Amino acid sequence: MSRAIVIDRPGSHRLVDGAVPEPGPGEVRVRVAAAGICMSDREVYDGHRDLAYVRYPVVPGHEWAGTVEAVGEGVDAALVGRRTVAEGFRSCGVCARCRYGETSLCTGGYAETGFTEPGAFADHLLVPVRLLHPLHDEADLRAAALIEPAAVVTAAVRAGRPRPGERVAVVGAGTLGLLAVQLLAASSPAELTVIDPRATRAEQAVRFGATESLTPEQAAGKGDFDLVVETAGAPSTAADACLLARRGGRVVLTGMFAPGATGIDPVHLALSQLEIRSVFGAPSSAWSETVRAFGLGLISPAPLITHTFPLERFADAIALVGGGDPATGKVLLHP
C-alpha cells in the first residue's frame, strides 16, 4: 500500500491508503525520503493560493527528495536505486519559452507537482523522467529536499548578476533568504547584509556568510546597495527592497506577495533607474546548477531543518509553517 495526504478543499485533509502507483511510459516511481513544507503549501491548505495555480483535491508536496524505485516503459532501468530530485514545473518543452530554455515561463499551461499534479506528501511519487536530476550515491536526502527552494534562489542570484566587491542585501532570513546568503557569499561581496526583524535568524545568516544583520528599522534609508535580493514576500518588502538599492542598482523579487501588497513607487523607480527582476520557480538550468552546487557542498541546507514529522502528524507540521515562531525553520515530512 501507499499512503498520501490529500487536501480535498481548504482546511480539510485526510491520510489515504491506496495501491502503490505504477509508472507509465516515460515515468519513474520515487520512494519519497523527505518532503519540505513551505508557505505555498500553507496557502494551499488555507485556501489562499490563486485558484489558477492549484487544483483540489490535491496531494501537496513540491520540495522533496527520494530514491527511484521503478521505471516505466522507455526509461533506463539503471535509474532504479538512484537518489534523486526532480523539477516541479511540468513544462511542455515545445513552446517558444521552453525552447529558449526558460522552462519556468512555459506557455503551454500551468502544471506543477504538488499543486495541480500529485505531490510528495506521500510514500510514493510518479514524475516524468525528463524532469529528474539524479544525486550522488551518498547524498543526504533530508537536506536534498531543500534543493527545490535552493533552485529558486539560484535563479534569483543569476538574475541579479552579483559581482565581486559589490554591496549586497538580502531581505528576509527565511529558507530562501538563508540559502541566498550561502550562494551570494561565494561571489565575494564587499558587504553582504541580511535584513530581518528576527534576531535568531539574523545570527544564523551571519554564520552562513553574511557580514552584518540589520532590522528593517535599522536598514531604512540606507539605499546604497548594488544588489538587493528580496525573499520575504511580506506586504511591504517589494517596495522596501527598491528603496534599499542605489541609483542604477538591481533588485530581484522572489517572495510570493498577497493581493494588496504595497506597490513600488513608479517615481522612485524612474528617477533611480533601477533594474527589477522577479522570479517564480526555476528553469531547468538553475536546477542543474543547484544540484552541482549541492554535490560540491557550496549549498548546505541541512542546518535550516528544525522539525521532522511523519505523515500522520501533517496537521501538527502545517500548523508550524507560517506560525510566527522564530525557532521554526524548515519543517519536513518523513514518509
Side-chain angles (χ1 to χ4, degrees):
M1 302 294 288
S2 185
R3 303 167 303 153
I5 295 292
V6 177
I7 298 178
D8 292 299
R9 59 187 181 279
S12 176
H13 77 277
R14 54 198 169 97
L15 179 62
V16 302
D17 289 315
V20 176
E22 291 299 326
E27 290 185 326
V28 301
R29 181 176 73 230
V30 174
R31 182 65 167 88
V32 179
I37 305 177
C38 83
M39 276 303 297
S40 294
D41 300 308
R42 181 66 188 263
E43 290 170 359
V44 169
Y45 187 73
D46 291 341
H48 296 160
R49 189 172 175 86
D50 189 318
L51 290 179
Y53 295 95
V54 63
R55 185 179 302 139
Y56 297 101
V58 63
V59 177
H62 60 286
E63 303 177 1
W64 60 269
T67 303
V68 177
E69 193 174 72
V71 301
E73 180 184 349
V75 179
D76 186 356
L79 285 171
V80 174
R82 288 295 303 273
R83 300 184 181 202
T84 194
V85 293
E87 298 171 36
F89 284 134
R90 307 288 182 96
S91 54
C92 72
V94 297
C95 71
R97 298 273 53 86
C98 283
R99 291 174 67 86
Y100 195 72
E102 297 174 336
T103 52
S104 58
L105 295 176
C106 174
T107 60
Y110 172 72
E112 186 175 2
T113 300
F115 296 104
T116 66
E117 312 298 325
F121 292 175
D123 289 323
H124 299 92
L125 172 68
L126 298 181
V127 291
V129 68
R130 64 185 175 85
L131 301 179
L132 285 192
H133 289 268
L135 306 172
H136 60 77
D137 293 341
E138 292 76 34
D140 176 356
L141 292 179
R142 288 180 72 252
L146 276 70
I147 285 179
E148 191 276 342
V152 175
V153 168
T154 297
V157 170
R158 295 200 313 179
R161 307 186 313 280
R163 305 178 184 102
E166 288 193 318
R167 299 179 302 278
V168 180
V170 175
V171 180
T175 298
L176 291 180
L178 292 174
L179 289 169
V181 167
Q182 292 188 10
L183 281 176
L184 288 164
S187 69
S188 301
E191 300 175 20
L192 179 52
T193 301
V194 172
I195 300 165
D196 195 287
R198 300 166 293 185
T200 54
R201 292 299 184 89
E203 292 168 2
Q204 191 170 21
V206 171
R207 292 196 298 271
F208 280 7
T211 56
E212 68 172 345
S213 63
L214 301 174
T215 65
E217 293 75 20
Q218 291 170 331
K222 195 166 171 61
D224 61 352
F225 292 104
D226 300 291
L227 170 64
V228 182
V229 178
E230 185 282 328
T231 68
S236 67
T237 51
D240 293 343
C242 293
L243 296 176
L244 289 167
R246 64 165 173 81
R247 295 192 69 193
R250 309 182 304 282
V251 178
V252 183
L253 307 176
T254 70
M256 293 297 292
F257 300 95
T262 304
I264 296 170
D265 181 359
V267 175
H268 174 76
L269 177 61
L271 294 178
S272 297
Q273 301 182 63
L274 298 181
E275 178 184 332
I276 300 179
R277 285 285 307 273
S278 61
V279 170
F280 176 58
S284 298
S285 56
W287 274 86
S288 296
E289 187 173 330
T290 304
V291 168
R292 289 196 300 271
F294 177 76
L296 292 170
L298 299 177
I299 298 173
S300 180
L304 303 181
I305 302 167
T306 58
H307 297 78
T308 302
F309 292 90
L311 289 178
E312 293 85 352
R313 294 187 60 192
F314 170 74
D316 296 327
I318 197 76
L320 282 177
V321 177
D325 186 348
T328 299
K330 176 53 66 174
V331 178
L332 298 184
L333 289 178
H334 179 63

